[in-house]
């Protein structure tokens, strides 16, 4: 199992026993998530922007309009911090102080690079589509040349990264375990409802199987 090298930025200071640096754990979390938060600073002003992403091998891709200030800024090669968090449950303790959440998270540090070669850009956009809805790319019209020109794609290497995970029941103070207060975990998960057709959908077109059977489990390439 490949381990990423810990750095001063990825070393966990609080509850280090919850940390993981193996690529498999990091990839599984990234592959299940939808949204990342991208943190960066410009002229001393910090920004944190939510956006979609995809992993392909040991790289992450993010994309958006050429007009995006975030993408234009990150494309200059500045330092970036990208985070992904999945919430698996609400942890109810016997004391207010020890309430918590079960979660899986990843933090990635690095510098993004512009993807401008046409075939690599198309491959990145396919990865982004397949990350959201596996199988969809083959059903739809691919981006036109004009659409490609209007889209910016950045790549961020998965070199400096760490995961942090909390699982299990609440951890109360020993003297509180005798309190007559319910304690435990309320599990949470992301589920899909039945697909809703576009009002302008042509007659006779049925939803594809991936729309009926959608799940955020993490089979991965």
């Amino acid at each position: 199992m490949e381990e990423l090298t810990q750095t001063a930025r990825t070393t966990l200071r609080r509850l280090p026993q919850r940390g993981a640096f193996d690529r498999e754990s990091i990839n599984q979390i990234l592959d299940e998530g939808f949204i990342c938060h991208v943190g960066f600073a410009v002229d001393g002003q910090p920004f944190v922007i939510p956006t979609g992403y995809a992993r392909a091998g040991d790289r992450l891709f993010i994309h958006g309009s050429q007009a995006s200030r975030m993408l234009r800024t990150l494309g200059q090669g500045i330092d970036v911090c990208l985070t992904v968090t999945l919430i698996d449950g609400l942890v109810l303790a016997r004391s207010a102080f020890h309430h918590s959440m079960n979660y899986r998270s990843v933090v990635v540090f690095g510098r993004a690079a512009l993807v401008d070669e046409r075939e690599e850009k198309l491959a990145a956009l396919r990865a982004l589509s397949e990350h959201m809805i596996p199988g969809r790319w083959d059903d739809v019209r691919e981006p036109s040349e004009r659409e490609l020109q209007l889209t910016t794609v950045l790549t961020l290497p998965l070199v400096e990264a760490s995961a942090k995970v909390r699982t299990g029941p609440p951890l109360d103070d020993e003297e509180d375990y005798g309190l007559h207060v319910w304690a435990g975990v309320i599990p949470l998960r992301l589920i899909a409802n039945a697909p809703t057709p576009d009002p302008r959908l042509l007659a006779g077109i049925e939803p594809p199987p991936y729309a009926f059977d959608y799940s955020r489990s993490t089979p991965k390439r």
Side-chain angles (χ1 to χ4, degrees), residues 99-155:
H99 279 62
S100 187
M101 288 183 283
N102 284 339
Y103 65 89
R104 291 165 287 152
S105 64
V106 168
V107 177
V108 182
F109 295 96
R111 294 186 176 186
L114 184 66
V115 177
D116 52 13
E117 195 276 322
R118 184 183 185 279
E119 293 307 314
E120 185 181 10
K121 194 172 187 179
L122 269 175
L125 293 174
R126 181 185 182 109
L128 285 154
S129 174
E130 292 295 295
H131 176 70
M132 295 293 177
I133 311 171
R136 183 64 175 172
W137 183 267
D138 291 335
D139 284 352
V140 299
R141 175 181 65 79
E142 292 190 5
S144 66
E145 292 303 318
R146 177 61 176 162
E147 289 168 339
L148 283 176
Q149 293 171 7
L150 293 174
T151 303
T152 296
V153 177
L154 299 178
T155 178

Side-chain angles (χ1 to χ4, degrees), residues 45 50 52 56 59 72 74 76 87 106 129 174 190 201 204 209:
Q45 171 64 53
R59 295 192 296 168
R72 291 200 314 270
L74 298 186
Q76 298 171 10
I87 303 299
V106 168
S129 174
E174 193 61 38
L190 185 66
L201 187 70

Side-chain angles (χ1 to χ4, degrees), residues 13-219:
R13 310 296 179 186
R14 184 175 181 275
L15 301 175
Q17 69 273 17
R18 294 182 183 172
F21 294 88
D22 62 285
R23 192 174 290 280
E24 180 179 358
S25 295
I26 291 169
N27 288 350
Q28 285 179 348
I29 296 168
L30 293 174
D31 294 347
E32 188 172 339
F34 268 124
I35 298 295
C36 66
H37 287 81
V38 182
F40 58 100
V42 180
D43 298 329
Q45 171 64 53
F47 296 91
V48 178
I49 306 296
T51 189
Y53 71 92
R55 181 186 70 85
D58 59 358
R59 295 192 296 168
L60 290 180
F61 292 109
I62 59 176
H63 80 303
S65 167
Q66 279 192 334
S68 165
R69 176 176 60 181
M70 177 185 76
L71 296 179
R72 291 200 314 270
T73 302
L74 298 186
Q76 298 171 10
I78 67 171
D79 285 326
V80 59
C81 176
L82 181 149
T83 66
V84 173
T85 303
L86 307 175
I87 303 299
D88 296 320
L90 303 178
V91 181
L92 280 61
R94 292 159 184 84
S95 69
F97 181 78
H98 286 298
H99 279 62
S100 187
M101 288 183 283
N102 284 339
Y103 65 89
R104 291 165 287 152
S105 64
V106 168
V107 177
V108 182
F109 295 96
R111 294 186 176 186
L114 184 66
V115 177
D116 52 13
E117 195 276 322
R118 184 183 185 279
E119 293 307 314
E120 185 181 10
K121 194 172 187 179
L122 269 175
L125 293 174
R126 181 185 182 109
L128 285 154
S129 174
E130 292 295 295
H131 176 70
M132 295 293 177
I133 311 171
R136 183 64 175 172
W137 183 267
D138 291 335
D139 284 352
V140 299
R141 175 181 65 79
E142 292 190 5
S144 66
E145 292 303 318
R146 177 61 176 162
E147 289 168 339
L148 283 176
Q149 293 171 7
L150 293 174
T151 303
T152 296
V153 177
L154 299 178
T155 178
L156 181 68
L158 283 171
V159 175
E160 192 176 1
S162 64
K164 194 173 184 181
V165 177
R166 190 207 189 278
T167 60
L171 299 173
D172 273 302
D173 295 333
E174 193 61 38
E175 60 269 24
D176 287 338
Y177 281 96
L179 295 175
H180 288 276
V181 177
W182 188 90
V185 176
I186 301 174
L188 300 176
R189 63 190 179 98
L190 185 66
I191 62 171
N193 291 325
T196 303
D198 182 345
R200 296 186 62 179
L201 187 70
L202 296 178
I205 300 179
E206 296 296 326
Y210 51 72
F212 274 119
D213 304 324
Y214 191 81
S215 166
R216 286 312 290 170
S217 57
T218 58

